Amino acid sequence: MKMKKIIKTTTMIILTIIFSVKTIFASEVQKKYTLTKITLIGNTRVTERKIRELVSVQEGMKLTESELEFRSRMSKAKMQNSGLFMFVDINFQTHEDGYCDMMISMGENVILLDMFALEDGGFTRFSSLSENAPDFGFMVGSKTQAFYLRFPYLWNTPVNLATTIAHHSYSMTLNPLNEYAYEAASGRAALDMAILPDWKIKIPAVYRYNIKGDSHFASTGDLSTGLETLIDFSHFKDVIYTGFDIQAAITQGIVSFPCTMVFAGANVYIKPAKWEEVILRGRYRSVLSGNVPDYLLYRIDNEYQIRGQIANHYFGRSSVVLNAENWLRDIFVSPSAVTNIHFSLITFVDLGTAGDQIAPIGIKDWNLSVGGALSVEFSAPLNLALQAGYAQELWQNTGGQFYVKIGYEYRKGNFFE
């Protein structure tokens, strides 16, 4: 009996090992299918070129079923996050001969209101009702007023042209004896294109005429150009609960102030729960060479960075801003015949400093602001977000600030303007 028990146990172990090995090898050698055709259904205003920029697949790819499933989920998340569609459905079918077909059906927003953030206000961009007409928008804020036109796919190429005309004005008290005021008009033109679905580049040219500034640089003009790039995997958060994007830019002054400036920034998006999202941001800006007037130096005073009324360590040749936000999303949703209204709560902590050199984080050299806000968001077809909150600057004891902003995806900053 003892021998039979040993034989039975040994047999079970061997069978278990065989089935385990078989399962492992079966999972390693999955059949790959060639994606032969992607069919788009439901797009009348959004061009096929734009949709193919958003999806993570293309004809000719060889993918397993699990890879097809993952890329389908990723493509759906990207299309939904674009704000161009009310709904998106992606299905694929594999065939015994090793080929695969995919169908992407969608419902477009009739009128799209897409909001992008500028430094001191919300930039409203209306997507055009015709694929041949330019997008247009405007921004009205206490410090900046702007008009925006974007011409997509010039001469049937992947290149877009975005233009902005703006007026800027602000004043601040750096110390009791120094009241600083500035006013300027500016124009910006930028060519941009998507190199890959998740990688965009932009070549901007900016002209600014300084109507009023300090005594040295009033009534002067400056022209600059450069290169900007954005690698955007923020949509991963809707599939694998964590996403990120990386931004970088270099700007070269041409007229009046031949200075070279750089920018680098990154955002990390974490979704521990469907109703919660944590956003960690970091931005670094620096003047590499050349003399730069005050109005071109990097500042940390606006509500998209440090929320307090900053008087110390206000601007300089270099600046660093760190930000953490915790969003409790959709704490209340009010259905409507036109659009659903979503209410969310935000708490945030901001750290920032600017100067000739960036010192280690400390109370004497950095500013610290903490605060909270209520966000009200409207679903498609409006895609409009309003946010109001209050922040208190603590370390430099510069007081607090109540702010209101309008936007859609604030994380993108002014990259798309």
Side-chain angles (χ1 to χ4, degrees):
M1 292 292 294
K2 187 176 181 181
M3 181 60 69
K4 287 183 178 180
K5 190 174 182 180
I6 293 174
I7 293 173
K8 185 178 179 180
T9 303
T10 305
T11 303
M12 291 296 294
I13 293 173
I14 293 172
L15 288 173
T16 301
I17 294 173
I18 290 173
F19 280 114
S20 299
V21 172
K22 184 178 179 182
T23 302
I24 292 171
F25 278 96
S27 62
E28 288 181 351
V29 190
Q30 292 187 48
K31 183 176 180 179
K32 289 198 171 186
Y33 297 89
T34 301
L35 185 57
T36 56
K37 187 178 182 181
I38 300 175
T39 303
L40 306 179
I41 298 177
N43 60 308
T44 57
R45 183 171 56 86
V46 181
T47 62
E48 179 177 335
R49 186 193 300 272
K50 176 64 177 178
I51 297 171
R52 289 182 178 271
E53 287 181 1
L54 294 171
V55 299
S56 301
V57 291
Q58 55 184 311
E59 282 95 344
M61 280 185 167
K62 293 185 177 181
L63 304 166
T64 64
E65 283 200 56
S66 59
E67 291 172 337
L68 282 164
E69 178 65 32
F70 179 78
R71 286 179 178 265
S72 296
R73 292 167 59 198
M74 194 68 64
S75 300
K76 183 175 181 179
K78 290 175 65 177
M79 291 182 68
Q80 290 175 332
N81 286 340
S82 71
L84 295 171
F85 310 98
M86 290 184 287
F87 68 86
V88 177
D89 191 20
I90 300 179
N91 297 292
F92 64 87
Q93 183 177 7
T94 57
H95 305 285
E96 291 294 331
D97 57 4
Y99 294 98
C100 172
D101 299 322
M102 178 173 288
M103 180 180 293
I104 304 176
S105 56
M106 67 212 78
E108 297 176 342
N109 284 333
V110 179
I111 298 178
L112 172 69
L113 228 104
D114 202 358
M115 316 296 295
F116 290 113
L118 283 179
E119 285 190 347
D120 359 77
F123 198 104
T124 309
R125 197 196 74 172
F126 294 81
S127 186
S128 60
L129 300 181
S130 166
E131 65 180 53
N132 297 320
D135 296 349
F136 66 95
F138 62 89
M139 196 266 298
V140 178
S142 60
K143 299 178 181 178
T144 302
Q145 304 82 44
F147 178 72
Y148 168 86
L149 278 175
R150 180 176 182 270
F151 303 88
Y153 307 122
L154 294 177
W155 304 292
N156 200 29
T157 69
V159 178
N160 308 296
L161 172 63
T163 61
T164 305
I165 299 174
H167 171 263
H168 318 268
S169 63
Y170 62 85
S171 61
M172 58 188 175
T173 302
L174 298 180
N175 58 60
L177 300 178
N178 186 3
E179 178 73 22
Y180 186 89
Y182 171 68
E183 183 180 7
S186 69
R188 174 183 168 98
L191 296 173
D192 70 80
M193 66 177 295
I195 301 296
L196 296 173
D198 302 303
W199 180 24
K200 296 181 176 68
I201 63 169
K202 177 175 286 188
I203 302 175
V206 180
Y207 178 78
R208 186 189 306 254
Y209 181 76
N210 310 293
I211 302 169
K212 180 173 64 177
D214 63 33
S215 58
H216 298 289
F217 300 114
S219 301
T220 60
D222 58 85
L223 176 66
S224 63
T225 186
L227 179 67
E228 303 175 9
T229 186
L230 171 67
I231 299 174
D232 189 354
F233 289 100
S234 59
H235 50 275
F236 275 29
K237 67 184 180 184
D238 296 320
V239 180
I240 57 175
Y241 311 109
T242 301
F244 69 94
D245 61 50
I246 301 173
Q247 308 161 53
I250 183 167
T251 302
Q252 178 63 50
I254 300 176
V255 176
S256 300
F257 309 107
C259 56
T260 304
M261 297 184 283
V262 295
F263 162 79
N267 302 314
V268 178
Y269 310 90
I270 304 169
K271 291 193 73 171
K274 183 179 180 179
W275 44 268
E276 183 180 19
E277 181 177 356
V278 178
I279 305 175
L280 305 176
R281 295 186 175 95
R283 305 180 185 90
Y284 172 75
R285 295 176 172 89
S286 182
V287 179
L288 294 183
S289 63
N291 295 320
V292 184
D294 291 346
Y295 62 82
L296 288 180
L297 289 175
Y298 295 122
R299 306 188 350 251
I300 59 171
D301 67 310
N302 58 70
E303 60 263 36
Y304 293 96
Q305 297 171 5
I306 300 297
R307 266 78 167 193
Q309 297 174 344
I310 303 305
N312 301 323
H313 314 292
Y314 187 86
F315 56 80
R317 293 179 67 87
S318 297
S319 69
V320 171
V321 177
L322 305 174
N323 167 256
E325 293 184 4
N326 185 46
W327 288 64
L328 299 179
R329 297 189 180 275
D330 296 347
I331 56 174
F332 176 70
V333 180
S334 177
S336 170
V338 178
T339 179
N340 291 338
I341 306 175
H342 304 256
F343 295 86
S344 304
L345 288 176
I346 311 161
T347 57
F348 50 78
V349 177
D350 287 350
L351 275 170
T353 187
D356 290 337
Q357 294 181 338
I358 300 301
I361 295 178
I363 294 178
K364 294 182 179 180
D365 301 304
W366 286 62
N367 299 280
L368 171 66
S369 293
V370 297
L374 174 67
S375 178
V376 181
E377 300 168 345
F378 299 86
S379 301
L382 293 182
N383 289 334
L384 170 65
L386 308 174
Q387 190 181 122
Y390 179 82
Q392 182 74 26
E393 203 286 319
L394 301 179
W395 283 352
Q396 307 303 336
N397 195 28
T398 56
Q401 175 175 286
F402 176 81
Y403 73 95
V404 178
K405 64 180 180 179
I406 302 174
Y408 181 56
E409 291 184 307
Y410 305 113
R411 63 176 179 80
K412 291 183 177 178
N414 61 1
F415 182 86
F416 287 92
E417 272 73 69

